[in-house]
Amino acid sequence: MIKIGNIELPEFPLLLAPMEDVSDPPFRAVCKDNGAHLMYTEFISSEGLIRDAIKSRKKLDIYDYEKPVGIQIFGGDEESLSLAAKIVDATNPDLLDINFGCPVKKVACRGAGAGVLKDVPLMVRLTDAVVRSTSLPVTVKTRLGWDDNTKNIEDVAERLQDVGIQALAIHGRTRTQMYKGEADWTLIAKVKENPRIKIPIFGNGDIDSPQKALEYKNRYGVDGIMIGRAAIGYPWIFNEISHYVKTGEILPSPTVEERVNVCKKHLIKSYEWKGPIVGINEMRRHYTNYLKGMPNIKEYRLKLVTLKEADEIIEVLDEIVDKYKGHEFERSVIELINYHEKCAV
């Protein structure tokens, strides 16, 4: 069993990564249904919270069925992060996570997210300020360093543990890599092997199949795995990994009906949480991923991204089930989408 504060997780937990514009309550709901053990909100600006910005406040929405769930905040100012931590505390999540890993320009180049990797003493001060401002367990998600010349994660892990964080998730790339190249888990393993490190260490980056998850578990010795891009349009990845780790067996690929049912739930939750216009519009980016692997699906996909009523969309999804019933999906590794690809470095 893995513990973060009073949170008890399975022996090898699978965490849903906090992904901006992805890890909202509708998406978290379908991931929870399909085996995610711990989930995080999209990152929330500390400045936005203390200014009472509507978008930031909305991201604080969490539900009992999601638990355990953590709220993630980011910022580069001690006072702002402290005040934001107090606001988060009042919403009663299971933990509070600090984002020191987001690589996109609008965050990192303003001294927040992965931008803090350039100033480790500041990172320590920011973390200490948050730990002192909340009664919640505090965790951190970060990267190996800013660039190839500053891969300082071993030092960072010790110093953050010393100021009180209770778990650390590490993405195996630097900030300048964004999502390019292959994630390097060797430094994650060194952090885990460090006798000074007593907190759980979770690895993140490039997990695209149950086989790879088990291989990395055995090779790098991490306490658990955080999964992000592989879950987009394929939340079944969590149950598939858990089953494979326990039994060595690959679960059957989800059927057309199973895929459509999860897509429907995602749509309905999106409609309910975001409203009929935004909920339907923002759901459009997910259909391609849910329907991947179906031949000649373009006509249906075009309908799904142009219809404006939920009932009409559900009718099209039902048509897809009728047409493709019995279709067997080819088992392959999951294509990892670079969901930040339009964000300039």
Side-chain angles (χ1 to χ4, degrees):
M1 182 182 296
I2 301 294
K3 292 195 72 175
I4 303 174
N6 293 324
I7 304 169
E8 294 184 352
L9 299 171
E11 182 180 349
F12 187 68
L14 303 176
L15 288 60
L16 172 64
M19 294 178 283
E20 174 69 354
D21 293 329
V22 178
S23 300
D24 56 17
F27 182 68
R28 298 198 304 265
V30 298
C31 288
K32 183 69 174 182
D33 286 348
N34 288 280
H37 298 122
L38 173 62
M39 302 186 296
Y40 298 83
T41 63
E42 303 169 80
F43 69 6
I44 306 173
S45 164
S46 58
E47 298 286 347
L49 278 184
I50 63 179
R51 290 198 313 267
D52 208 25
I54 293 173
K55 185 176 181 181
S56 295
R57 289 280 178 162
K58 183 72 171 171
K59 290 180 181 179
L60 290 173
D61 288 354
I62 54 174
Y63 300 90
D64 286 343
Y65 62 77
E66 297 183 83
K67 289 182 170 288
V69 61
I71 289 176
Q72 188 187 73
I73 60 175
F74 74 95
D77 177 77
E78 292 172 59
E79 184 178 2
S80 296
L81 276 174
S82 294
L83 291 171
K86 294 179 189 298
I87 295 169
V88 169
D89 213 16
T91 66
N92 198 33
D94 296 283
L95 60 84
L96 190 160
D97 189 74
I98 310 171
N99 182 310
F100 291 138
C102 179
V104 300
K105 186 175 182 178
K106 66 179 180 180
V107 175
C109 292
R110 293 181 182 175
V116 185
L117 287 165
K118 292 193 288 187
D119 188 343
V120 174
L122 173 61
M123 181 189 291
V124 173
R125 293 197 304 272
L126 294 172
T127 305
D128 184 53
V130 171
V131 170
R132 292 173 181 274
S133 300
T134 179
S135 60
L136 297 166
V138 174
T139 62
V140 163
K141 182 173 189 287
T142 189
R143 289 183 169 231
L144 301 179
W146 176 260
D147 56 26
D148 284 342
N149 298 318
T150 57
K151 291 183 178 179
N152 48 19
I153 189 62
E154 293 176 78
D155 177 53
V156 164
E158 288 189 6
R159 295 176 69 174
L160 295 185
Q161 178 182 260
D162 290 345
V163 295
I165 71 165
Q166 298 192 40
L168 178 63
I170 306 168
H171 182 97
R173 289 182 174 87
T174 63
R175 186 269 169 178
T176 55
Q177 281 183 274
M178 298 290 282
Y179 292 94
K180 297 175 182 177
E182 185 176 349
D184 178 5
W185 283 56
T186 58
L187 286 178
I188 303 175
K190 286 185 178 180
V191 173
K192 177 58 191 172
E193 292 163 2
N194 183 344
R196 277 206 62 212
I197 296 296
K198 307 300 180 185
I199 59 175
I201 301 298
F202 303 116
N204 173 233
D206 293 355
I207 297 300
D208 55 14
S209 68
Q211 297 95 320
K212 194 168 190 178
L214 180 58
E215 177 191 348
Y216 278 34
K217 171 184 183 293
N218 293 336
R219 183 187 299 177
Y220 300 110
V222 291
D223 294 296
I225 288 177
M226 179 176 278
I227 297 167
R229 293 174 294 157
I232 299 174
Y234 202 85
W236 302 274
I237 186 68
F238 298 101
N239 276 335
E240 289 184 358
I241 290 174
S242 291
H243 186 78
Y244 187 73
V245 168
K246 290 176 184 175
T247 68
E249 298 172 350
I250 295 290
L251 287 173
S253 183
T255 64
V256 172
E257 187 173 13
E258 288 169 335
R259 290 168 192 253
V260 168
N261 284 342
V262 170
C263 185
K264 282 183 186 177
K265 178 168 183 174
H266 195 165
L267 168 65
I268 292 167
K269 290 282 187 184
S270 183
Y271 184 97
E272 292 172 346
W273 187 64
K274 300 177 182 177
I277 296 175
V278 177
I280 286 174
N281 288 346
E282 293 195 355
M283 187 63 195
R284 289 171 178 169
R285 60 178 173 239
H286 292 285
Y287 298 124
T288 296
N289 299 310
Y290 279 119
L291 303 177
K292 191 170 291 180
M294 297 184 192
N296 305 313
I297 197 68
K298 185 176 180 179
E299 176 189 346
Y300 288 106
R301 197 169 63 234
L302 184 61
K303 289 181 181 179
L304 291 171
V305 299
T306 53
L307 292 172
K308 297 180 180 179
E309 299 294 331
D311 290 346
E312 294 175 343
I313 294 171
I314 288 173
E315 284 182 13
V316 172
L317 290 170
D318 287 338
E319 285 181 36
I320 291 172
V321 172
D322 291 339
K323 176 167 182 176
Y324 290 92
K325 196 167 188 177
H327 172 74
E328 294 188 8
F329 290 87
E330 182 180 344
R331 170 67 67 176
S332 61
V333 297
I334 297 166
E335 180 184 348
L336 297 179
I337 301 159
N338 183 354
Y339 70 102
H340 282 322
E341 63 187 348
K342 294 181 182 178
C343 299
V345 177

